[in-house]
Amino acid sequence: MDWKQYCEYMQEINVFNRLLLHQRSLLKLSTNEIDCLSRIALSKGLLSAREVIEQMSSNKVSLSRIIKKLLKEGYLIRVDNPNDYRSYYLKITSKGKKALRKDYEKLILPIKILKENMEDKQFFQFMGQISHMNKILKDYYRDREECE
């Protein structure tokens, strides 16, 4: 495949990304703030800030700022780790749940539209492929960081 074909594919991915994030201007929270809150809210147990950062595969500094902001604005609270006095877990507050619910409805609309307009098998294969591609890219970038 030549570079022109790669560029065309990248353009398609960019259009898809813009369409998915079209709702962003309607949101009170940023998409990263929503992602952070939703991971904490949907977790089966308590998560530390480090675990949230690892799950999101995001920049540690920027995500630390997001967590501090969510704590300051009352969307999250700290829960002391009984096994390590130096660390803590994050827990979503009722204010955080309310904001998340309000913004998430707007944010997930494009996924709902795709689900409603695709056959179930096609939709779940598509989502599986996205998960697989995310893993490939995460591994690639993690391996590059280890080499540098």
Side-chain angles (χ1 to χ4, degrees):
M1 190 168 24
D2 67 2
W3 69 272
K4 290 179 185 178
Q5 185 64 55
Y6 282 115
C7 286
E8 289 174 7
Y9 287 147
M10 196 66 208
Q11 290 168 355
E12 285 297 320
I13 290 171
N14 287 335
V15 169
F16 183 73
N17 188 43
R18 278 192 293 277
L19 291 170
L20 280 178
L21 296 177
H22 179 73
Q23 310 297 92
R24 199 169 32 191
S25 63
L26 305 173
L27 304 175
K28 180 178 180 182
L29 301 168
S30 74
T31 53
N32 281 332
E33 291 167 344
I34 292 169
D35 190 14
C36 181
L37 285 174
S38 69
R39 288 173 188 277
I40 294 165
L42 298 174
S43 175
K44 290 184 171 78
L46 294 171
L47 294 175
S48 67
R50 192 183 105 255
E51 290 169 320
V52 174
I53 291 167
E54 287 173 5
Q55 284 185 16
M56 290 179 64
S57 297
S58 187
N59 177 289
K60 185 178 178 178
V61 173
S62 63
L63 201 50
S64 293
R65 286 184 188 136
I66 287 170
I67 291 170
K68 284 179 186 176
K69 179 184 176 196
L70 294 171
L71 286 164
K72 182 180 177 184
E73 294 183 5
Y75 296 121
L76 294 175
I77 58 169
R78 293 178 188 215
V79 176
D80 291 334
N81 180 344
N83 301 320
D84 183 357
Y85 70 92
R86 298 167 294 169
S87 67
Y88 60 90
Y89 297 108
L90 298 168
K91 184 176 179 183
I92 191 166
T93 63
S94 57
K95 179 181 178 181
K97 288 178 185 177
K98 184 178 177 182
L100 178 62
R101 204 172 301 116
K102 186 176 178 184
D103 276 359
Y104 225 74
E105 284 300 315
K106 296 172 191 164
L107 190 63
I108 64 173
L109 180 62
I111 300 298
K112 283 183 169 182
I113 291 168
L114 290 174
K115 174 76 170 82
E116 291 167 3
N117 288 281
M118 297 170 79
E119 293 179 18
D120 281 351
K121 182 179 178 182
Q122 186 183 27
F123 176 78
F124 292 117
Q125 284 176 338
F126 172 70
M127 294 308 299
Q129 287 295 321
I130 289 175
S131 295
H132 180 68
M133 290 181 279
N134 284 338
K135 182 184 179 328
I136 290 169
L137 292 174
K138 282 179 189 177
D139 291 347
Y140 172 79
Y141 290 116
R142 185 186 59 242
D143 291 347
R144 286 190 58 159
E145 286 176 0
E146 290 173 1
C147 292
E148 292 175 359

